[in-house]
Amino acid sequence: MRRSETVVTGIGLATPAGIGADATWRRLCAGTPTASADPGLAGLPVDFSCRVPDAELAAALGRGLRWRTDRFIHLALAAAQEAIRDAGLQPGEWDADRVAVVIGVGSSGRDTDLHVAQCLTSGRYQKISPTTVPRALPNMAAGEIAADLGAKGPGLGVSTACASGATAIGVGRQLLKGGMCDIALVGGAESACGPLSAMGFWRLGALSTRRHDPAGASRPFETERDGFVLAEGAGVLVLERAEHARARGATGKAVLSGFGATSDAHHPTSPHPEGEGAVRALRAALAEAELTPGDVHHVNAHGTSTKVNDRMEAAVLHRVFRGPPPVTATKSILGHSLGAAGAVEAAVCVLSLQHQSIHPTANLDIPEPGIDLDIVTKAARTCRMDTVMSTSFGFGGQNAVLVFHAP
């Protein structure tokens, strides 16, 4: 590790595969989708999603904390606590003023919003909790993590829609490079599987309506894809400068070497038709990492399973790489956790480097003609990898790309 490098020393995940990086990695390698019928969406045009197991989440957090905070915060806390343990850090022993928390959230408190709306329309004003405002603020994922762990450095909430988690990781890296902290807890969290989000995305035509086969609904790059599957989750990484990690005897799991962020400046929900902003983000991340496209051995694609986004991303990968490396789409198994997705997929990139393996893309039976990518399917692929890339694209035309390499 070079002195100036930013290293990942801890990983925490809370996904529909379970709480913990090991549970998520096993499910991904098995290639088994997590989508299933969702009782909270019963009777709606889309009645399935990918949810984090309630029992596992409850076991990870205290009852009082769960009562006063929203579910996206529960997920963020569970992931952050695991990341700290994985990094071998003891909050009581660190320099709290030098620990930053940066968490991306696309939207927040939707279940709380629905409850308040129901109380207002029925005149039950006293049923509105005094915790309503703080539990729904997007920055409270970072705020509650800081309070729980005693992190007193910069605390930031980042929101770039479905790129939020990846953007937060890039921002945390910049805080480290700028000398504003020694440790940065970075990532994303989101829980938007309720009726408000489901019906909003359904009206946009963005969700799969494959009600007869929820497990087969998320099918990135596949000919018969018809939209994404709503999911929830959280991913948190511990970032440190290499010299700081080395001084405390920690081993870097990967090096975060490149970050690219751009805006399409094109449309509220549709990407630029030629992926112009996405291309610039990929190239910016490679330039910061001082790498060429040929140095990248694997891409964890944004891969939403929507017609427009998958076509755009495939075209972008061909334009940047002129022969893209092996690709996988984590959302085929875990669904689309919106603001958390970029952080979850960044963590999966680090796991891929550690295991030297690429998990399969589920439900890819017949790739759409013209996609022409080397997409890993059916079974995990073992291969030599030194450098991997994760791509994230969000509403508002906001793009974030991360590059990791082996330490």
Side-chain angles (χ1 to χ4, degrees):
M1 295 185 292
R2 296 194 300 270
R3 177 179 172 82
S4 60
E5 288 179 335
T6 301
V7 297
V8 179
T9 56
I11 298 174
L13 286 170
T15 75
I19 304 296
D22 288 344
T24 296
W25 182 249
R26 287 195 302 271
R27 187 68 174 257
L28 290 172
C29 289
T32 308
T34 58
S36 63
D38 187 336
L41 302 178
L44 299 179
V46 175
D47 58 4
F48 58 93
S49 71
C50 300
R51 282 193 175 269
V52 175
D54 286 334
E56 292 188 35
L57 186 57
L61 303 170
R63 182 177 179 182
L65 192 149
R66 286 187 285 116
W67 173 82
R68 69 175 175 79
T69 57
D70 208 75
R71 190 172 172 91
F72 77 98
I73 297 174
H74 305 169
L75 297 166
L77 284 166
Q81 290 169 0
E82 187 202 7
I84 288 298
R85 291 192 298 270
D86 189 45
L89 288 165
Q90 298 292 332
E93 298 176 2
W94 61 25
D95 182 352
D97 292 341
R98 301 290 297 169
V99 181
V101 182
V102 187
I103 302 296
V105 178
S107 62
S108 59
R110 290 298 178 90
D111 291 340
T112 295
D113 291 343
L114 181 58
H115 172 71
V116 170
Q118 291 169 338
C119 289
L120 289 174
T121 55
S122 64
R124 296 178 297 128
Y125 309 129
Q126 295 302 317
K127 294 294 184 180
I128 298 174
S129 171
T131 67
T132 293
V133 172
R135 72 187 292 144
L137 294 173
N139 72 300
M140 290 305 291
E144 290 285 357
I145 289 173
D148 184 60
L149 299 174
K152 298 181 180 180
L156 302 173
V158 174
S159 187
T160 54
C162 299
S164 297
T167 303
I169 293 171
V171 169
R173 179 170 179 265
Q174 296 305 107
L175 292 178
L176 283 166
K177 292 180 67 176
M180 295 183 69
C181 60
D182 296 322
I183 298 169
L185 312 181
V186 297
E190 189 118 7
S191 179
C193 293
L196 286 180
S197 292
M199 290 303 91
F201 282 116
W202 174 70
R203 285 291 290 144
L204 276 173
L207 292 187
S208 171
T209 57
R210 205 178 179 96
R211 299 174 64 188
H212 64 286
D213 180 25
S218 183
R219 38 203 321 118
F221 305 113
E222 218 273 346
T223 299
E224 296 186 1
R225 69 189 185 281
D226 68 333
F228 71 82
V229 176
L230 272 176
E232 61 180 3
V236 173
L237 304 180
V238 177
L239 301 182
E240 303 178 57
R241 284 187 299 277
E243 64 269 25
H244 185 273
R246 188 181 297 110
R248 68 179 187 86
T251 301
K253 300 174 183 293
V255 176
L256 173 54
S257 55
F259 170 56
T262 63
S263 294
D264 286 353
H266 169 69
H267 189 272
T269 58
S270 295
H272 189 278
E274 283 81 45
E276 187 270 338
V279 167
R280 287 189 291 111
L282 267 72
R283 288 177 173 165
L286 287 170
E288 187 178 38
E290 298 181 354
L291 298 172
T292 68
D295 295 319
V296 178
H297 300 128
H298 163 51
V299 175
N300 188 303
H302 186 57
T304 59
S305 185
T306 59
K307 294 288 186 183
V308 173
N309 278 273
D310 287 2
R311 288 170 185 160
M312 179 278 291
E313 184 164 19
V316 165
L317 293 178
H318 281 290
R319 184 172 165 187
V320 171
F321 290 100
R322 311 275 184 194
V327 172
T328 196
T330 297
K331 294 180 183 72
S332 66
I333 298 170
L334 301 181
H336 191 352
S337 54
L338 308 175
V344 170
E345 290 156 13
V348 171
C349 280
V350 176
L351 292 170
S352 291
L353 280 174
Q354 285 188 286
H355 294 278
Q356 292 290 285
S357 179
I358 303 170
H359 76 76
T361 299
N363 302 317
L364 185 59
D365 300 320
I366 304 174
E368 179 177 312
I371 293 290
D372 195 26
L373 295 172
D374 177 14
I375 303 173
V376 179
T377 62
K378 308 305 180 185
R381 181 187 299 180
T382 300
C383 56
R384 174 65 181 169
M385 292 180 285
D386 291 319
T387 303
V388 300
M389 173 182 283
S390 179
T391 58
S392 298
F393 313 122
F395 279 2
Q398 295 179 305
N399 312 298
V401 177
L402 300 167
V403 174
F404 298 90
H405 69 254

